[in-house]
Amino acid sequence: MILLWGLVFLIPFSYHPFVFSISKNWGVLDGSVLSPVIIILFLLLFLLSANDKRLFSVKELVIPLGAILLYGVTLSISLFFGFKVPVLREIRMLMIPWMAMLVGYQLRISMEQYRMLLYFFIGVVLWVALTQIAINIGGFVILEQYVTENKNALGVVMATAATIALVLGLEPGRPRWISILFLFLSLLLIISLLTIRARAAALIFMVVALYIFFKKFKSKHIFLVLIGFFVVAVLTYLFLPSGIKQFVTDSFLLNKEQDVMTDRMVRNEKAIRFLIDYPFFGNQRHHPVDFGYIHNYPLLKWYNYGFVGAFFVLFLYFYLLWLAVKNSFTTSLSKITQMGFLLLLIPYGISMAEPSLPFGPGTVTAFNFILFGLAIREKSGDALTR
């Protein structure tokens, strides 16, 4: 349990300005000075968790592992034919979330410990986010230039914490003041997301939040509920103070003459046209192209390795997404130990606009996958001790 608490603290703390300052002084340009410590804690957690052979009969763990191994075999074959493929890097990036799922599935804690872990994570993330804003920005204002380091990775962690706080705030049967507190913390985190201009994370949180509210208030009269949501959204926009509307608008559009994701949609369209001509092997032969790096995970893998080379990683991507979406539909918000299905939607949603998510970079999504693995076990009927 101590190892898990350490991991939950260090993942968000690695984005603290103090840690960034030390990393620069020590000449660490890629990652953080805390990265080795985080990896050691994570590996120890995994080794302590992977001690039950019955785990390899759980299809939600076996199928992803099989896809990862077959992906490695496919990329190795590409190496044999002379293609330059970073096999080890690709497999390492996929193994970290799979190991996190296994850790979560094996996690044996009480409900009280589970709640304390969530509270602790929210607190650490909020502290790091507010410190980033205070030191790098000076307050809740939108600057023309990005000044928060690793804002996209930090955005994933912040959106995850905001979603946890929202679910806890809407949990049935809780004292009203506790619900208000968690809803306030969720609001504070989304304001912080907008301030650091982690646009993809902020946008995906809003989408997931709408989905959570729909689950909370849905009834047999779904049509009326949808109309209600639309009316509330329109009225909120119309009567929102102009300063707040400008704050939100600037967070997404300040200094951006093109779409909210800058020129990423243009790159994606060009990549799709390229794949129409080279669908099976993508750009493994390094054809000359007139567009930059693709900011969409499944599209990037297809472009890099073609349908043949990327088949198993795309299968893994959509299999885990299917598990998360399917189970989130059938899970009540009152079952907070199954919120891992909702939390996985955060990195997945952001992966539509970022190339390394949902499986990386590094251990940034490890907590999402740990809670996802725990949710899978909970869904199977092996509930936490109350």
Side-chain angles (χ1 to χ4, degrees), residues 320-381:
L320 294 179
L321 177 61
W322 174 76
L323 282 180
V325 173
K326 180 192 72 168
N327 286 293
S328 68
F329 273 118
T330 59
T331 298
S332 169
L333 291 178
S334 62
K335 298 178 180 178
I336 64 166
T337 54
Q338 296 182 27
M339 75 163 70
F341 297 123
L342 287 169
L343 297 180
L344 199 66
L345 299 180
I346 296 294
Y348 259 93
I350 300 174
S351 73
M352 294 293 101
E354 294 295 338
S356 58
L357 293 156
F359 303 121
T363 56
V364 69
T365 60
F367 192 53
N368 299 70
F369 279 94
I370 287 173
L371 295 184
F372 179 60
L374 189 147
I376 291 172
R377 194 192 76 218
E378 286 281 301
K379 193 75 172 180
S380 69

Side-chain angles (χ1 to χ4, degrees), residues 140-160:
F140 293 105
V141 294
I142 305 299
L143 301 181
E144 292 187 4
Q145 300 297 322
Y146 300 137
V147 294
T148 304
E149 297 179 85
N150 278 9
K151 68 179 181 67
N152 292 326
L154 177 60
V156 179
V157 179
M158 290 170 61
T160 300

Side-chain angles (χ1 to χ4, degrees), residues 14 21 23 123 184 330:
S14 64
S21 176
S23 298
F184 171 74
T330 59

